[in-house]
Amino acid sequence: MNEFDLIRLLTRGLTTNSHVRVGPGDDCAVIDLGVPNRHFLLKTDAVVEGVHFTADTPPEQIGHKALARNLSDVAAMGGRPIAALITLALPETFQPSFVASIYAGIDALARRYETAIVGGETTTNPGRILLSLTVLGSVPSDRCILRRGATPGNALFVTGQLGGSLAGHHLTFEPRLAEAEWLATHFHPTAMIDLSDGLAGDLRHLLRDDALGADILETAIPISPAARIRAREGLNPKPALLAALTDGEDFELLFTVPARSSVALLDAWKERFPKTRLSCIGKIRKEPGLVLRSNRGSREINDHGYVHFT
Ligand SMILES: [Mg+2]
């Protein structure tokens, strides 16, 4: 059973109530507390030693990553973080200074985005560290961006560069909160997600369970220099293009806008975020499937790579 099948099994028929606008299945849950023109966002996410970081990862980076992953999901809804809770499970022998440094990493990032750390829980966990954060955010209700909402013909955009995350980006990335809020305010993306599992896999979440498809232009994919170096030096067995399509933890924004907004968006973005790349990589289409187009022909892709030539 894969992760998505498990989530489907666990969330089927769960209790809900009239406050819930969006339950499981988007980047954050969306809650209506009756505050005019405002919705609240809830997200929880954990990092585990040996899975998301290693025994020699600097503790500040462990803390940074744990909060940044949550903030990236708040960004994906167009929202702003308000407060966070921390749950930390530690092996029985631990260095207090190591734990203090994890907190320092969390707090340094929280401070930049005015996110209050309002409580937590520490417990033991034999063997390895687990760090879970829960974040509360908010968003103007008419600017909350969901994963569903893309329509055929919409242009597909991605921020930054893809595929080099394991070279270090996954520990040090800055969540795209400023960019996402700006996008939500000025260009009303029809759908948005942050890239945690790789472009090819995460894009499917914008296609409403394969009700839609997408055409991707191979030359438009922003492959990170780190992905090219890792492929060349044999550090990643995949070619750089495939790493950019399928490697996880890029934490860039993937979103759609009506095609007629594309040029204005690219122009305004260059003015507002001159140091961050924004790429139009293709468009949404009616027919299901992800098709990668180049001057050599077309190939269909799935989460793991190319399926076949079409
Ligand atoms: Mg996400």
Side-chain angles (χ1 to χ4, degrees):
M1 178 175 273
N2 71 28
E3 186 187 355
F4 298 118
D5 291 334
L6 177 64
I7 291 169
R8 218 167 293 143
L9 178 77
L10 295 178
T11 55
R12 194 166 43 204
L14 284 180
T15 307
T16 186
N17 63 32
S18 61
H19 293 292
V20 179
R21 289 290 163 272
V22 178
D26 214 303
D27 290 289
C28 296
V30 181
I31 310 292
D32 183 351
L33 295 178
V35 179
N37 308 317
R38 192 147 289 272
H39 284 162
F40 292 87
L41 305 170
L42 270 181
K43 178 67 194 183
T44 189
D45 191 278
V47 292
V48 177
E49 182 179 335
V51 180
H52 302 95
F53 60 91
T54 59
D56 55 12
T57 302
E60 294 83 358
Q61 292 187 358
I62 298 170
H64 174 94
K65 178 172 185 172
L67 178 58
R69 288 166 60 96
N70 279 276
L71 297 189
S72 184
D73 280 315
V74 172
M77 313 298 289
R80 265 190 202 189
I82 298 170
L85 295 168
I86 302 169
T87 297
L88 181 58
L90 293 163
E92 262 144 36
T93 55
F94 65 87
Q95 295 286 334
S97 63
F98 189 88
V99 179
S101 296
I102 290 177
Y103 265 64
I106 296 172
D107 200 56
L109 178 60
R111 195 171 298 274
R112 286 207 285 289
Y113 295 102
E114 297 174 332
T115 307
I117 308 295
V118 291
E121 153 79 352
T122 50
T123 180
T124 56
N125 185 48
R128 46 167 85 173
I129 297 172
L130 178 150
L131 175 61
S132 174
L133 270 76
T134 300
V135 168
L136 171 72
S138 85
V139 64
S141 41
D142 59 347
R143 286 189 209 148
C144 182
I145 304 162
L146 306 184
R147 290 179 174 182
R148 54 176 189 262
T151 53
N154 278 181
L156 182 65
F157 284 86
V158 70
T159 61
Q161 297 177 310
L162 306 179
S165 192
L166 289 174
H169 178 77
H170 74 109
L171 292 168
T172 59
F173 72 94
E174 197 70 16
R176 298 267 186 220
L177 283 159
E179 294 88 345
E181 190 176 2
W182 179 88
L183 282 168
T185 305
H186 299 284
F187 285 92
H188 309 287
T190 48
M192 187 153 67
I193 189 171
D194 68 314
L195 293 178
S196 52
D197 296 331
L199 173 68
D202 286 330
L203 175 52
R204 287 185 185 270
H205 296 302
L206 299 188
L207 302 175
R208 291 185 260 144
D209 288 329
D210 290 327
L212 297 170
D215 276 324
I216 312 275
L217 288 176
E218 186 176 314
T219 52
I221 296 184
I223 302 172
S224 82
R228 293 188 196 279
I229 292 167
R230 286 171 62 80
R232 197 162 53 229
E233 295 182 351
L235 295 168
N236 189 340
K238 298 175 190 173
L241 172 66
L242 195 55
L245 287 168
T246 61
D247 276 9
E249 305 214 309
D250 285 315
F251 298 107
E252 296 294 347
L253 298 170
L254 178 71
F255 62 93
T256 52
V257 296
R260 63 176 182 280
S261 309
S262 296
V263 175
L265 167 58
L266 285 164
D267 277 354
W269 178 278
K270 235 177 266 166
E271 284 277 302
R272 178 65 185 80
F273 300 106
K275 291 193 188 126
T276 304
R277 203 149 142 184
L278 178 67
S279 309
C280 181
I281 59 168
K283 65 174 187 200
I284 305 297
R285 54 176 209 163
K286 257 203 316 271
E287 303 76 24
L290 300 188
V291 176
L292 188 64
R293 299 199 186 278
S294 73
N295 53 18
R296 297 190 308 276
S298 302
R299 312 177 255 189
E300 194 155 339
I301 43 178
N302 69 11
D303 307 12
H304 311 292
Y306 312 117
V307 180
H308 57 77
F309 284 83
T310 53

